[in-house]
Amino acid sequence: MGLLIYGGFLGATWFWREIPLWLLPVIGAWLIAWHGSFLHEIIHGHPTPWRALNRALALPPLALWLPFDIYRADHIKHHYEPDLTDPREDPETAYVTPAAWARLGRVMRWLLRANTTLAGRLTVGPFLSISYFLRSEARRLWAGQAGRRGIWARHAIAAALVIVWVSVICGMPLWLYLAAFVYTGAALTSLRSFAEHRFAEDATHRTAIVERAGLFGLLFLHNNLHVLHHMRQHEPWYRLPALYRAERGALLERNGGLVYAGYGEVARRFLWRAHDKPVYPSIG
């Protein structure tokens, strides 16, 4: 898997001039989103039994903006089920607290409402998530949070090497890489994360399933079967479909039937309609 992703990345960036301009962001989005899925597998102990080797496979930050060590720590925290979707505890939630909402201006409130639709998540969603993450990290760096400067220093070196390859060796303008690979890759990733979680009083009902994902199943390494992943997070991606077929009834009972037939259903229901309100409902 890693060979396909990194080989595809090297080929797409080296031959970018020969790729039609309309096709470049399609390829770029797929590769960056696929790389994100691969990093997710590494966090959960794959693809090899050796942690040092897995970590080495995660070192090239193709998306540029997300250090792997921070992603790993945040994602492990995200897996604590009682805190799922809670913006005070879950680093991967799309909700905001009522207090944060009260401080926002009209434009930001409009953007956050747009972000609750699939169309908004695919367009303004990457801007919101990346900018929020970078602002939060800037505050942590300014406050001198332990270990943060070292993580970002190492990440800056690795990201600089990616930029040298793309812009100096391959000659691709950095703005084009940011637009056709980084931003589109974040947008395609957000298709997966858009309907993965939704607030419910029962924490076990907050995690969804998207069945019949087709090609997206390969792209997301079957993380669309999200309840199963949360329950069996150390299972490798290629085992998930068979496990899901064997345990489907129990999984649907556990998550309260929060299931979608496919991403087509997600798009039909939520392309222009809100998946949920942006303000987390359980905080007084």
Side-chain angles (χ1 to χ4, degrees), residues 29 33 65 94 115 117-127 129 182-196 219-220 263 266:
W65 61 276
N115 196 44
T117 70
L118 182 59
R121 188 67 60 90
L122 296 176
T123 53
V124 303
F127 165 76
S129 60
V182 175
Y183 200 89
T184 57
L188 188 52
T189 298
S190 70
L191 172 64
R192 172 187 58 77
S193 62
F194 175 74
E196 277 183 352
L219 175 63
F220 301 142
Y263 287 105
V266 174

Side-chain angles (χ1 to χ4, degrees), residues 120-263:
R121 188 67 60 90
L122 296 176
T123 53
V124 303
F127 165 76
L128 290 173
S129 60
I130 294 172
S131 62
Y132 174 80
F133 173 79
L134 294 178
R135 287 197 308 272
S136 298
E137 287 302 306
R139 287 194 293 269
R140 291 184 173 96
L141 288 170
W142 181 260
Q145 182 172 327
R148 226 60 175 190
R149 291 177 181 175
I151 290 173
W152 275 101
R154 293 188 296 271
H155 176 76
I157 294 170
L161 293 175
V162 173
I163 292 172
V164 167
W165 165 261
V166 169
S167 294
V168 178
I169 297 176
C170 297
M172 182 188 298
L174 182 58
W175 69 264
L176 181 58
Y177 182 73
L178 293 175
F181 283 72
V182 175
Y183 200 89
T184 57
L188 188 52
T189 298
S190 70
L191 172 64
R192 172 187 58 77
S193 62
F194 175 74
E196 277 183 352
H197 297 288
R198 183 174 180 173
F199 172 77
E201 292 291 343
D202 186 340
T204 64
H205 294 177
R206 296 177 187 175
T207 305
I209 298 166
V210 179
E211 298 183 316
R212 298 195 298 277
L215 195 59
F216 289 123
L218 175 61
L219 175 63
F220 301 142
L221 300 185
H222 301 308
N223 204 25
N224 51 289
L225 304 173
H226 209 57
V227 168
L228 179 58
H229 167 64
H230 270 259
M231 294 180 66
R232 309 275 287 273
Q233 59 180 286
H234 298 299
E235 290 286 351
W237 67 276
Y238 51 83
R239 292 182 184 169
L240 296 181
L243 288 171
Y244 180 73
R245 288 191 294 270
E247 302 176 16
R248 183 178 185 274
L251 291 168
L252 294 184
E253 181 178 357
R254 187 179 192 278
N255 85 333
L258 183 55
V259 60
Y260 304 98
Y263 287 105

